[in-house]
Amino acid sequence: MVSEPEFQQAYYEIVSSVKDSTLFEKFPQYEKVLPVVSVPERIIQFRVTWENDKGEQEVAQGYRVQFNSAKGPYKGGLRFHPSVNLSILKFLGFEQIFKNALTGLDMGGGKGGLCVDLKGKSDNEIRRICYAFMRELSKHIGKDTDVPAGDIGVGGREIGYLFGAYRSYKNSWEGVLTGKGLNWGGSLIRPEATGYGLVYYTQAMIDYATNGKESFEGKRVTISGSGNVAQYAALKVIELGGVVVSLSDSQGCIVSETGITLEQINDIAAAKIHFKSLKEIVGEYATFGENKVKYIAGARPWTHVSDVDIALPCATQNEVSGDEAKSLVASGVKFVAEGANMGSTPEAISVFETARSTAATAGDAVWFGPPKAANLGGVAVSGLEMAQNSQKVTWTSERVDQELKKIMINCFNDCIQAAQEYATEKNTKILPSLVKGANIASFVMVADAMLDQGDVF
Ligand code: NDP
């Protein structure tokens, strides 16, 4: 019986990459790391209870999975969503260990959250929930121990309340959360970082595959989600001359053949803070009157777009099925990079990877950028926020953006190098598997730290 399906899916992905390579043959000591790294160092589960606006008590389950600290303090987001459970947080925490290693910064891996639906809750309720959550979490985190950030349902507003709660419970102003407000310890470019970084990583893929001959200019890009990651990915795509043909939310998707505009994305960003659905936004905002988009209820965009070059899943896990992946390939997609964690199902990844490894030329291939590499921009800038906090300085947005670009490109090169060194399949020299490259490169970094420190013997 599969009791933790999401975690087992994430674990299996790493295991199959490293086992299906020459890594253990060349360095047998790494095999001993697998069973140890798959068990979290610590899991904290706790009751969170607050008073709602009607004066009634509400209760929910809170979690923090402190998965691995060999490479630095536990680091990873907090998700507030009704789907939160231990399997999902273990999958996200496990993925985070390897993603954080690929940033090249000193960060371990963790993830946490609360099983709650914030939709329809007032600002006051959200503040009380954040304070109640932090009442317990504050006992287990600290700037050198565990530094959470946001994730689904936890944006700037929630980070503000969580930070205020930590400060008041601990009587300490410290860089214990990232994604903070700009005038109280936050880093410039942190809100943009995951979406921007995703586009920089995809740009590195395009450069490599086309020998620097092509860019985002004129490319048609299908994006899912309409939250933080999707919004900034879409804005960067538009800035680089691409056409954003879709966005989505949990209720449906919007498709525009001529391209969703910057103004429309800004309206979506403003409305999403108030939990409006795309359906409501399209009906209510003037910008959608001028440049009409098609709203499709209950659908993801993948089968409703045509002539696309690039797909960026940016909503949630398992949101591209095998059939949807086939439909994207049939529509002409050449590059897929995941803003969402585990956005594609294993069947979808297999469709993309097959379309790469069996292609006759790089021009015919479909190339897949896995989330632990493609979406690490957010946690990378969180790492830069921690560095700025400890030095008590604020870098300019240009400097942070430059560092972010550098980190994304270094990560891309690490993925390529590891795949070329250890992957064995056909086409490794033309377009290496970035899934294998990311998994092997990051596994080696984490394994070395664990072996050096005696976590594995
Ligand atoms: P947000 O909460 O800002 O946005 C999430 C988006 O996904 C919303 O459009 C939401 O729709 C949609 N969504 C949520 N659940 C579902 C579902 N079950 N089916 C379809 N759509 C859904 O989150 P983020 O943008 O921050 O995160 C998006 C993804 O990116 C997640 O996988 C997250 O783990 C990953 N990520 C985020 C990082 C960050 O820095 N924020 C860093 C790295 C990865 P609705 O508006 O209707 O709720």
Side-chain angles (χ1 to χ4, degrees), residues 79 81 92 99 111 119 150-154 190 194 225-230 248-251 272 276 314-317 339-341 375 378-379:
R79 179 175 289 194
H81 195 268
L92 290 164
K99 179 187 310 202
K111 200 83 188 186
K119 283 191 182 133
D151 190 71
I152 293 179
V154 178
R190 175 59 188 92
T194 307
S226 50
N228 170 272
V229 180
S248 69
D249 66 9
S250 54
Q251 312 298 311
K272 278 291 173 190
K276 286 201 180 267
C314 294
T316 190
Q317 64 271 8
N341 286 311
N375 75 26
V379 74

PDB file of all heavy atoms in Angstrom, residues 79 81 92 99 111 119 150-154 190 194 225-230 248-251 272 276 314-317 339-341 375 378-379, ligand 1:
ATOM      1  N   ARG A  79       3.395  26.076   3.550  1.00  0.00           N
ATOM      2  CA  ARG A  79       2.219  26.028   2.672  1.00  0.00           C
ATOM      3  C   ARG A  79       0.966  26.008   3.530  1.00  0.00           C
ATOM      4  O   ARG A  79       0.828  25.146   4.405  1.00  0.00           O
ATOM      5  CB  ARG A  79       2.298  24.773   1.789  1.00  0.00           C
ATOM      6  CG  ARG A  79       1.118  24.616   0.856  1.00  0.00           C
ATOM      7  CD  ARG A  79       1.292  23.440  -0.095  1.00  0.00           C
ATOM      8  NE  ARG A  79       2.308  23.680  -1.115  1.00  0.00           N
ATOM      9  CZ  ARG A  79       2.469  22.935  -2.208  1.00  0.00           C
ATOM     10  NH1 ARG A  79       1.665  21.905  -2.421  1.00  0.00           N
ATOM     11  NH2 ARG A  79       3.411  23.213  -3.088  1.00  0.00           N
ATOM     12  N   HIS A  81      -2.784  25.394   3.014  1.00  0.00           N
ATOM     13  CA  HIS A  81      -3.737  24.949   1.984  1.00  0.00           C
ATOM     14  C   HIS A  81      -4.494  23.743   2.533  1.00  0.00           C
ATOM     15  O   HIS A  81      -3.929  22.953   3.310  1.00  0.00           O
ATOM     16  CB  HIS A  81      -2.952  24.559   0.711  1.00  0.00           C
ATOM     17  CG  HIS A  81      -3.805  24.421  -0.512  1.00  0.00           C
ATOM     18  ND1 HIS A  81      -4.358  23.223  -0.891  1.00  0.00           N
ATOM     19  CD2 HIS A  81      -4.213  25.331  -1.431  1.00  0.00           C
ATOM     20  CE1 HIS A  81      -5.065  23.395  -2.007  1.00  0.00           C
ATOM     21  NE2 HIS A  81      -4.997  24.671  -2.356  1.00  0.00           N
ATOM     22  N   LEU A  92       7.889  17.749  -0.485  1.00  0.00           N
ATOM     23  CA  LEU A  92       8.427  19.097  -0.732  1.00  0.00           C
ATOM     24  C   LEU A  92       9.747  19.297   0.027  1.00  0.00           C
ATOM     25  O   LEU A  92      10.688  19.893  -0.493  1.00  0.00           O
ATOM     26  CB  LEU A  92       7.402  20.155  -0.329  1.00  0.00           C
ATOM     27  CG  LEU A  92       6.168  20.235  -1.247  1.00  0.00           C
ATOM     28  CD1 LEU A  92       5.030  21.010  -0.571  1.00  0.00           C
ATOM     29  CD2 LEU A  92       6.512  20.885  -2.591  1.00  0.00           C
ATOM     30  N   LYS A  99      17.326  20.769  -4.131  1.00  0.00           N
ATOM     31  CA  LYS A  99      17.209  22.074  -4.792  1.00  0.00           C
ATOM     32  C   LYS A  99      18.147  23.079  -4.128  1.00  0.00           C
ATOM     33  O   LYS A  99      18.884  23.800  -4.794  1.00  0.00           O
ATOM     34  CB  LYS A  99      15.753  22.553  -4.652  1.00  0.00           C
ATOM     35  CG  LYS A  99      15.501  23.902  -5.262  1.00  0.00           C
ATOM     36  CD  LYS A  99      14.109  24.392  -4.947  1.00  0.00           C
ATOM     37  CE  LYS A  99      13.065  23.362  -5.259  1.00  0.00           C
ATOM     38  NZ  LYS A  99      11.741  23.930  -5.462  1.00  0.00           N
ATOM     39  N   LYS A 111      10.397  21.819   5.067  1.00  0.00           N
ATOM     40  CA  LYS A 111       9.122  22.347   4.541  1.00  0.00           C
ATOM     41  C   LYS A 111       8.104  22.249   5.663  1.00  0.00           C
ATOM     42  O   LYS A 111       8.213  21.391   6.535  1.00  0.00           O
ATOM     43  CB  LYS A 111       8.665  21.496   3.346  1.00  0.00           C
ATOM     44  CG  LYS A 111       7.670  22.184   2.444  1.00  0.00           C
ATOM     45  CD  LYS A 111       8.344  23.084   1.438  1.00  0.00           C
ATOM     46  CE  LYS A 111       7.332  23.911   0.659  1.00  0.00           C
ATOM     47  NZ  LYS A 111       7.961  24.694  -0.409  1.00  0.00           N
ATOM     48  N   LYS A 119      -9.164  30.892   1.981  1.00  0.00           N
ATOM     49  CA  LYS A 119     -10.104  31.616   1.106  1.00  0.00           C
ATOM     50  C   LYS A 119     -11.340  32.018   1.888  1.00  0.00           C
ATOM     51  O   LYS A 119     -11.918  31.214   2.623  1.00  0.00           O
ATOM     52  CB  LYS A 119     -10.502  30.736  -0.077  1.00  0.00           C
ATOM     53  CG  LYS A 119      -9.403  30.702  -1.113  1.00  0.00           C
ATOM     54  CD  LYS A 119      -9.821  30.065  -2.416  1.00  0.00           C
ATOM     55  CE  LYS A 119      -8.622  30.037  -3.338  1.00  0.00           C
ATOM     56  NZ  LYS A 119      -8.406  28.775  -3.999  1.00  0.00           N
ATOM     57  N   GLY A 150       7.748  31.554   2.270  1.00  0.00           N
ATOM     58  CA  GLY A 150       6.369  31.332   1.834  1.00  0.00           C
ATOM     59  C   GLY A 150       6.262  30.168   0.871  1.00  0.00           C
ATOM     60  O   GLY A 150       7.249  29.603   0.423  1.00  0.00           O
ATOM     61  N   ASP A 151       5.056  29.797   0.561  1.00  0.00           N
ATOM     62  CA  ASP A 151       4.741  28.820  -0.500  1.00  0.00           C
ATOM     63  C   ASP A 151       3.261  29.063  -0.799  1.00  0.00           C
ATOM     64  O   ASP A 151       2.753  30.173  -0.522  1.00  0.00           O
ATOM     65  CB  ASP A 151       5.023  27.382  -0.020  1.00  0.00           C
ATOM     66  CG  ASP A 151       4.938  26.356  -1.155  1.00  0.00           C
ATOM     67  OD1 ASP A 151       5.826  26.346  -2.022  1.00  0.00           O
ATOM     68  OD2 ASP A 151       3.968  25.576  -1.199  1.00  0.00           O
ATOM     69  N   ILE A 152       2.571  28.080  -1.335  1.00  0.00           N
ATOM     70  CA  ILE A 152       1.160  28.284  -1.668  1.00  0.00           C
ATOM     71  C   ILE A 152       0.406  28.772  -0.424  1.00  0.00           C
ATOM     72  O   ILE A 152       0.525  28.192   0.654  1.00  0.00           O
ATOM     73  CB  ILE A 152       0.527  26.986  -2.218  1.00  0.00           C
ATOM     74  CG1 ILE A 152       1.153  26.646  -3.582  1.00  0.00           C
ATOM     75  CG2 ILE A 152      -0.995  27.115  -2.329  1.00  0.00           C
ATOM     76  CD1 ILE A 152       0.633  25.376  -4.218  1.00  0.00           C
ATOM     77  N   GLY A 153      -0.320  29.850  -0.566  1.00  0.00           N
ATOM     78  CA  GLY A 153      -1.140  30.383   0.526  1.00  0.00           C
ATOM     79  C   GLY A 153      -0.366  31.243   1.509  1.00  0.00           C
ATOM     80  O   GLY A 153      -0.963  31.848   2.405  1.00  0.00           O
ATOM     81  N   VAL A 154       0.943  31.293   1.394  1.00  0.00           N
ATOM     82  CA  VAL A 154       1.741  32.130   2.300  1.00  0.00           C
ATOM     83  C   VAL A 154       2.544  33.112   1.455  1.00  0.00           C
ATOM     84  O   VAL A 154       3.586  32.767   0.884  1.00  0.00           O
ATOM     85  CB  VAL A 154       2.670  31.275   3.199  1.00  0.00           C
ATOM     86  CG1 VAL A 154       3.517  32.172   4.100  1.00  0.00           C
ATOM     87  CG2 VAL A 154       1.854  30.308   4.046  1.00  0.00           C
ATOM     88  N   ARG A 190      13.062  39.354  -4.147  1.00  0.00           N
ATOM     89  CA  ARG A 190      12.607  38.057  -3.612  1.00  0.00           C
ATOM     90  C   ARG A 190      11.221  37.671  -4.140  1.00  0.00           C
ATOM     91  O   ARG A 190      11.038  36.538  -4.580  1.00  0.00           O
ATOM     92  CB  ARG A 190      12.627  38.037  -2.063  1.00  0.00           C
ATOM     93  CG  ARG A 190      12.044  36.731  -1.459  1.00  0.00           C
ATOM     94  CD  ARG A 190      12.791  35.497  -1.920  1.00  0.00           C
ATOM     95  NE  ARG A 190      12.191  34.228  -1.533  1.00  0.00           N
ATOM     96  CZ  ARG A 190      11.327  33.531  -2.262  1.00  0.00           C
ATOM     97  NH1 ARG A 190      10.900  33.982  -3.434  1.00  0.00           N
ATOM     98  NH2 ARG A 190      10.883  32.366  -1.859  1.00  0.00           N
ATOM     99  N   THR A 194      11.398  33.480  -8.026  1.00  0.00           N
ATOM    100  CA  THR A 194      11.126  32.135  -8.554  1.00  0.00           C
ATOM    101  C   THR A 194      10.715  32.232 -10.024  1.00  0.00           C
ATOM    102  O   THR A 194      11.219  31.495 -10.882  1.00  0.00           O
ATOM    103  CB  THR A 194      10.044  31.426  -7.722  1.00  0.00           C
ATOM    104  OG1 THR A 194      10.438  31.469  -6.358  1.00  0.00           O
ATOM    105  CG2 THR A 194       9.873  29.985  -8.160  1.00  0.00           C
ATOM    106  N   GLY A 225      -1.259  28.345 -13.506  1.00  0.00           N
ATOM    107  CA  GLY A 225      -1.182  29.085 -12.258  1.00  0.00           C
ATOM    108  C   GLY A 225      -1.373  30.564 -12.529  1.00  0.00           C
ATOM    109  O   GLY A 225      -1.269  31.030 -13.685  1.00  0.00           O
ATOM    110  N   SER A 226      -1.672  31.290 -11.463  1.00  0.00           N
ATOM    111  CA  SER A 226      -1.777  32.748 -11.575  1.00  0.00           C
ATOM    112  C   SER A 226      -1.384  33.373 -10.248  1.00  0.00           C
ATOM    113  O   SER A 226      -1.783  34.474  -9.921  1.00  0.00           O
ATOM    114  CB  SER A 226      -3.185  33.164 -11.977  1.00  0.00           C
ATOM    115  OG  SER A 226      -4.129  32.530 -11.137  1.00  0.00           O
ATOM    116  N   GLY A 227      -0.586  32.621  -9.486  1.00  0.00           N
ATOM    117  CA  GLY A 227      -0.089  33.120  -8.209  1.00  0.00           C
ATOM    118  C   GLY A 227       1.280  33.753  -8.388  1.00  0.00           C
ATOM    119  O   GLY A 227       1.656  34.178  -9.487  1.00  0.00           O
ATOM    120  N   ASN A 228       2.032  33.774  -7.301  1.00  0.00           N
ATOM    121  CA  ASN A 228       3.329  34.455  -7.300  1.00  0.00           C
ATOM    122  C   ASN A 228       4.249  34.000  -8.436  1.00  0.00           C
ATOM    123  O   ASN A 228       4.761  34.820  -9.201  1.00  0.00           O
ATOM    124  CB  ASN A 228       3.995  34.215  -5.922  1.00  0.00           C
ATOM    125  CG  ASN A 228       5.437  34.662  -5.894  1.00  0.00           C
ATOM    126  OD1 ASN A 228       6.339  33.905  -6.226  1.00  0.00           O
ATOM    127  ND2 ASN A 228       5.665  35.905  -5.527  1.00  0.00           N
ATOM    128  N   VAL A 229       4.459  32.707  -8.559  1.00  0.00           N
ATOM    129  CA  VAL A 229       5.436  32.207  -9.532  1.00  0.00           C
ATOM    130  C   VAL A 229       4.960  32.493 -10.956  1.00  0.00           C
ATOM    131  O   VAL A 229       5.706  33.003 -11.805  1.00  0.00           O
ATOM    132  CB  VAL A 229       5.688  30.691  -9.324  1.00  0.00           C
ATOM    133  CG1 VAL A 229       6.692  30.175 -10.336  1.00  0.00           C
ATOM    134  CG2 VAL A 229       6.175  30.424  -7.911  1.00  0.00           C
ATOM    135  N   ALA A 230       3.695  32.177 -11.220  1.00  0.00           N
ATOM    136  CA  ALA A 230       3.146  32.367 -12.573  1.00  0.00           C
ATOM    137  C   ALA A 230       3.179  33.844 -12.967  1.00  0.00           C
ATOM    138  O   ALA A 230       3.546  34.199 -14.101  1.00  0.00           O
ATOM    139  CB  ALA A 230       1.716  31.840 -12.618  1.00  0.00           C
ATOM    140  N   SER A 248      -3.782  30.047 -15.349  1.00  0.00           N
ATOM    141  CA  SER A 248      -4.895  29.258 -14.811  1.00  0.00           C
ATOM    142  C   SER A 248      -5.009  29.487 -13.309  1.00  0.00           C
ATOM    143  O   SER A 248      -4.127  30.106 -12.700  1.00  0.00           O
ATOM    144  CB  SER A 248      -4.667  27.769 -15.080  1.00  0.00           C
ATOM    145  OG  SER A 248      -3.591  27.296 -14.293  1.00  0.00           O
ATOM    146  N   ASP A 249      -6.091  28.983 -12.713  1.00  0.00           N
ATOM    147  CA  ASP A 249      -6.150  28.873 -11.254  1.00  0.00           C
ATOM    148  C   ASP A 249      -6.869  27.573 -10.914  1.00  0.00           C
ATOM    149  O   ASP A 249      -7.068  26.731 -11.808  1.00  0.00           O
ATOM    150  CB  ASP A 249      -6.744  30.122 -10.585  1.00  0.00           C
ATOM    151  CG  ASP A 249      -8.209  30.344 -10.908  1.00  0.00           C
ATOM    152  OD1 ASP A 249      -8.839  29.443 -11.509  1.00  0.00           O
ATOM    153  OD2 ASP A 249      -8.721  31.421 -10.565  1.00  0.00           O
ATOM    154  N   SER A 250      -7.251  27.412  -9.642  1.00  0.00           N
ATOM    155  CA  SER A 250      -7.807  26.119  -9.269  1.00  0.00           C
ATOM    156  C   SER A 250      -9.207  25.900  -9.854  1.00  0.00           C
ATOM    157  O   SER A 250      -9.730  24.791  -9.795  1.00  0.00           O
ATOM    158  CB  SER A 250      -7.826  25.976  -7.748  1.00  0.00           C
ATOM    159  OG  SER A 250      -8.501  27.064  -7.177  1.00  0.00           O
ATOM    160  N   GLN A 251      -9.801  26.942 -10.432  1.00  0.00           N
ATOM    161  CA  GLN A 251     -11.164  26.803 -10.986  1.00  0.00           C
ATOM    162  C   GLN A 251     -11.200  26.687 -12.509  1.00  0.00           C
ATOM    163  O   GLN A 251     -12.190  26.251 -13.073  1.00  0.00           O
ATOM    164  CB  GLN A 251     -12.021  28.030 -10.605  1.00  0.00           C
ATOM    165  CG  GLN A 251     -11.960  28.426  -9.148  1.00  0.00           C
ATOM    166  CD  GLN A 251     -12.477  27.310  -8.270  1.00  0.00           C
ATOM    167  OE1 GLN A 251     -13.537  26.762  -8.523  1.00  0.00           O
ATOM    168  NE2 GLN A 251     -11.703  26.940  -7.259  1.00  0.00           N
ATOM    169  N   LYS A 272      -5.791  38.643  -6.833  1.00  0.00           N
ATOM    170  CA  LYS A 272      -5.529  37.351  -6.187  1.00  0.00           C
ATOM    171  C   LYS A 272      -5.285  37.490  -4.683  1.00  0.00           C
ATOM    172  O   LYS A 272      -5.545  36.566  -3.924  1.00  0.00           O
ATOM    173  CB  LYS A 272      -4.339  36.643  -6.868  1.00  0.00           C
ATOM    174  CG  LYS A 272      -4.741  35.895  -8.139  1.00  0.00           C
ATOM    175  CD  LYS A 272      -5.612  34.680  -7.826  1.00  0.00           C
ATOM    176  CE  LYS A 272      -6.179  34.011  -9.048  1.00  0.00           C
ATOM    177  NZ  LYS A 272      -7.200  32.987  -8.730  1.00  0.00           N
ATOM    178  N   LYS A 276      -9.733  36.388  -5.420  1.00  0.00           N
ATOM    179  CA  LYS A 276     -10.689  36.355  -6.537  1.00  0.00           C
ATOM    180  C   LYS A 276     -10.284  35.262  -7.523  1.00  0.00           C
ATOM    181  O   LYS A 276      -9.091  35.000  -7.712  1.00  0.00           O
ATOM    182  CB  LYS A 276     -10.714  37.701  -7.243  1.00  0.00           C
ATOM    183  CG  LYS A 276     -11.433  38.779  -6.433  1.00  0.00           C
ATOM    184  CD  LYS A 276     -11.884  39.919  -7.323  1.00  0.00           C
ATOM    185  CE  LYS A 276     -12.588  40.990  -6.507  1.00  0.00           C
ATOM    186  NZ  LYS A 276     -14.020  40.825  -6.440  1.00  0.00           N
ATOM    187  N   CYS A 314       3.150  26.285 -13.417  1.00  0.00           N
ATOM    188  CA  CYS A 314       3.475  27.121 -12.233  1.00  0.00           C
ATOM    189  C   CYS A 314       2.363  27.118 -11.190  1.00  0.00           C
ATOM    190  O   CYS A 314       2.257  28.065 -10.403  1.00  0.00           O
ATOM    191  CB  CYS A 314       3.727  28.570 -12.663  1.00  0.00           C
ATOM    192  SG  CYS A 314       5.180  28.820 -13.679  1.00  0.00           S
ATOM    193  N   ALA A 315       1.500  26.082 -11.160  1.00  0.00           N
ATOM    194  CA  ALA A 315       0.408  26.100 -10.172  1.00  0.00           C
ATOM    195  C   ALA A 315       0.714  25.166  -9.003  1.00  0.00           C
ATOM    196  O   ALA A 315       1.020  25.612  -7.901  1.00  0.00           O
ATOM    197  CB  ALA A 315      -0.912  25.735 -10.829  1.00  0.00           C
ATOM    198  N   THR A 316       0.649  23.860  -9.241  1.00  0.00           N
ATOM    199  CA  THR A 316       0.784  22.926  -8.120  1.00  0.00           C
ATOM    200  C   THR A 316       1.311  21.589  -8.630  1.00  0.00           C
ATOM    201  O   THR A 316       1.640  21.471  -9.818  1.00  0.00           O
ATOM    202  CB  THR A 316      -0.579  22.784  -7.397  1.00  0.00           C
ATOM    203  OG1 THR A 316      -0.401  22.069  -6.189  1.00  0.00           O
ATOM    204  CG2 THR A 316      -1.617  22.075  -8.258  1.00  0.00           C
ATOM    205  N   GLN A 317       1.397  20.590  -7.732  1.00  0.00           N
ATOM    206  CA  GLN A 317       1.988  19.315  -8.154  1.00  0.00           C
ATOM    207  C   GLN A 317       1.035  18.499  -9.029  1.00  0.00           C
ATOM    208  O   GLN A 317      -0.171  18.631  -8.928  1.00  0.00           O
ATOM    209  CB  GLN A 317       2.439  18.472  -6.950  1.00  0.00           C
ATOM    210  CG  GLN A 317       1.345  18.011  -6.015  1.00  0.00           C
ATOM    211  CD  GLN A 317       1.079  19.018  -4.914  1.00  0.00           C
ATOM    212  OE1 GLN A 317       1.600  20.114  -4.934  1.00  0.00           O
ATOM    213  NE2 GLN A 317       0.244  18.647  -3.957  1.00  0.00           N
ATOM    214  N   GLY A 339       7.940  25.638 -12.847  1.00  0.00           N
ATOM    215  CA  GLY A 339       7.912  26.593 -11.753  1.00  0.00           C
ATOM    216  C   GLY A 339       7.320  25.925 -10.536  1.00  0.00           C
ATOM    217  O   GLY A 339       7.773  26.107  -9.409  1.00  0.00           O
ATOM    218  N   ALA A 340       6.290  25.102 -10.747  1.00  0.00           N
ATOM    219  CA  ALA A 340       5.664  24.371  -9.640  1.00  0.00           C
ATOM    220  C   ALA A 340       6.545  23.195  -9.258  1.00  0.00           C
ATOM    221  O   ALA A 340       7.255  22.637 -10.097  1.00  0.00           O
ATOM    222  CB  ALA A 340       4.293  23.863 -10.059  1.00  0.00           C
ATOM    223  N   ASN A 341       6.475  22.800  -8.006  1.00  0.00           N
ATOM    224  CA  ASN A 341       7.197  21.608  -7.573  1.00  0.00           C
ATOM    225  C   ASN A 341       6.441  20.378  -8.038  1.00  0.00           C
ATOM    226  O   ASN A 341       5.256  20.243  -7.753  1.00  0.00           O
ATOM    227  CB  ASN A 341       7.318  21.608  -6.045  1.00  0.00           C
ATOM    228  CG  ASN A 341       8.351  22.619  -5.582  1.00  0.00           C
ATOM    229  OD1 ASN A 341       9.465  22.653  -6.087  1.00  0.00           O
ATOM    230  ND2 ASN A 341       7.968  23.473  -4.633  1.00  0.00           N
ATOM    231  N   ASN A 375      13.162  25.936 -10.661  1.00  0.00           N
ATOM    232  CA  ASN A 375      12.462  26.908  -9.799  1.00  0.00           C
ATOM    233  C   ASN A 375      13.243  27.260  -8.534  1.00  0.00           C
ATOM    234  O   ASN A 375      12.668  27.775  -7.572  1.00  0.00           O
ATOM    235  CB  ASN A 375      11.029  26.452  -9.495  1.00  0.00           C
ATOM    236  CG  ASN A 375      10.931  25.334  -8.482  1.00  0.00           C
ATOM    237  OD1 ASN A 375      11.791  25.159  -7.625  1.00  0.00           O
ATOM    238  ND2 ASN A 375       9.856  24.572  -8.559  1.00  0.00           N
ATOM    239  N   GLY A 378      13.755  31.214  -6.211  1.00  0.00           N
ATOM    240  CA  GLY A 378      13.135  31.765  -4.994  1.00  0.00           C
ATOM    241  C   GLY A 378      13.979  31.481  -3.775  1.00  0.00           C
ATOM    242  O   GLY A 378      14.319  32.387  -3.002  1.00  0.00           O
ATOM    243  N   VAL A 379      14.359  30.220  -3.616  1.00  0.00           N
ATOM    244  CA  VAL A 379      15.128  29.896  -2.418  1.00  0.00           C
ATOM    245  C   VAL A 379      16.541  30.474  -2.535  1.00  0.00           C
ATOM    246  O   VAL A 379      17.163  30.824  -1.523  1.00  0.00           O
ATOM    247  CB  VAL A 379      15.119  28.374  -2.134  1.00  0.00           C
ATOM    248  CG1 VAL A 379      15.994  27.592  -3.088  1.00  0.00           C
ATOM    249  CG2 VAL A 379      15.561  28.114  -0.701  1.00  0.00           C
TER     250      VAL A 379
HETATM  251  P1  NDP B   1       0.387  30.871  -5.003  1.00  0.00           P
HETATM  252  O1  NDP B   1      -0.442  30.471  -3.836  1.00  0.00           O
HETATM  253  O2  NDP B   1       0.801  32.277  -5.141  1.00  0.00           O
HETATM  254  O3  NDP B   1      -0.333  30.422  -6.359  1.00  0.00           O
HETATM  255  C1  NDP B   1      -0.735  29.099  -6.565  1.00  0.00           C
HETATM  256  C2  NDP B   1      -1.484  29.030  -7.879  1.00  0.00           C
HETATM  257  O4  NDP B   1      -1.794  27.671  -8.145  1.00  0.00           O
HETATM  258  C3  NDP B   1      -2.817  29.768  -7.855  1.00  0.00           C
HETATM  259  O5  NDP B   1      -3.089  30.199  -9.153  1.00  0.00           O
HETATM  260  C4  NDP B   1      -3.792  28.655  -7.435  1.00  0.00           C
HETATM  261  O6  NDP B   1      -5.131  28.892  -7.839  1.00  0.00           O
HETATM  262  C5  NDP B   1      -3.208  27.485  -8.190  1.00  0.00           C
HETATM  263  N1  NDP B   1      -3.544  26.226  -7.544  1.00  0.00           N
HETATM  264  C6  NDP B   1      -3.358  25.903  -6.238  1.00  0.00           C
HETATM  265  N2  NDP B   1      -3.801  24.636  -6.007  1.00  0.00           N
HETATM  266  C7  NDP B   1      -4.265  24.193  -7.186  1.00  0.00           C
HETATM  267  C8  NDP B   1      -4.848  22.972  -7.609  1.00  0.00           C
HETATM  268  N3  NDP B   1      -5.035  21.950  -6.748  1.00  0.00           N
HETATM  269  N4  NDP B   1      -5.208  22.854  -8.911  1.00  0.00           N
HETATM  270  C9  NDP B   1      -5.020  23.869  -9.785  1.00  0.00           C
HETATM  271  N5  NDP B   1      -4.469  25.053  -9.437  1.00  0.00           N
HETATM  272  C10 NDP B   1      -4.101  25.198  -8.170  1.00  0.00           C
HETATM  273  O7  NDP B   1       1.670  29.893  -4.954  1.00  0.00           O
HETATM  274  P2  NDP B   1       3.078  30.076  -5.646  1.00  0.00           P
HETATM  275  O8  NDP B   1       2.925  30.755  -6.940  1.00  0.00           O
HETATM  276  O9  NDP B   1       4.024  30.601  -4.634  1.00  0.00           O
HETATM  277  O10 NDP B   1       3.498  28.546  -5.880  1.00  0.00           O
HETATM  278  C11 NDP B   1       3.146  27.840  -7.067  1.00  0.00           C
HETATM  279  C12 NDP B   1       4.014  26.603  -7.189  1.00  0.00           C
HETATM  280  O11 NDP B   1       5.393  27.005  -7.229  1.00  0.00           O
HETATM  281  C13 NDP B   1       3.921  25.602  -6.020  1.00  0.00           C
HETATM  282  O12 NDP B   1       4.135  24.305  -6.525  1.00  0.00           O
HETATM  283  C14 NDP B   1       5.104  25.991  -5.149  1.00  0.00           C
HETATM  284  O13 NDP B   1       5.541  24.918  -4.334  1.00  0.00           O
HETATM  285  C15 NDP B   1       6.123  26.326  -6.228  1.00  0.00           C
HETATM  286  N6  NDP B   1       7.221  27.162  -5.785  1.00  0.00           N
HETATM  287  C16 NDP B   1       6.995  28.384  -5.226  1.00  0.00           C
HETATM  288  C17 NDP B   1       8.064  29.167  -4.836  1.00  0.00           C
HETATM  289  C18 NDP B   1       7.889  30.567  -4.349  1.00  0.00           C
HETATM  290  O14 NDP B   1       8.899  31.255  -4.175  1.00  0.00           O
HETATM  291  N7  NDP B   1       6.670  31.047  -4.143  1.00  0.00           N
HETATM  292  C19 NDP B   1       9.449  28.658  -4.917  1.00  0.00           C
HETATM  293  C20 NDP B   1       9.576  27.393  -5.607  1.00  0.00           C
HETATM  294  C21 NDP B   1       8.487  26.680  -5.977  1.00  0.00           C
HETATM  295  P3  NDP B   1      -6.143  29.738  -6.874  1.00  0.00           P
HETATM  296  O15 NDP B   1      -5.771  31.169  -7.080  1.00  0.00           O
HETATM  297  O16 NDP B   1      -7.484  29.380  -7.409  1.00  0.00           O
HETATM  298  O17 NDP B   1      -5.911  29.267  -5.484  1.00  0.00           O
END
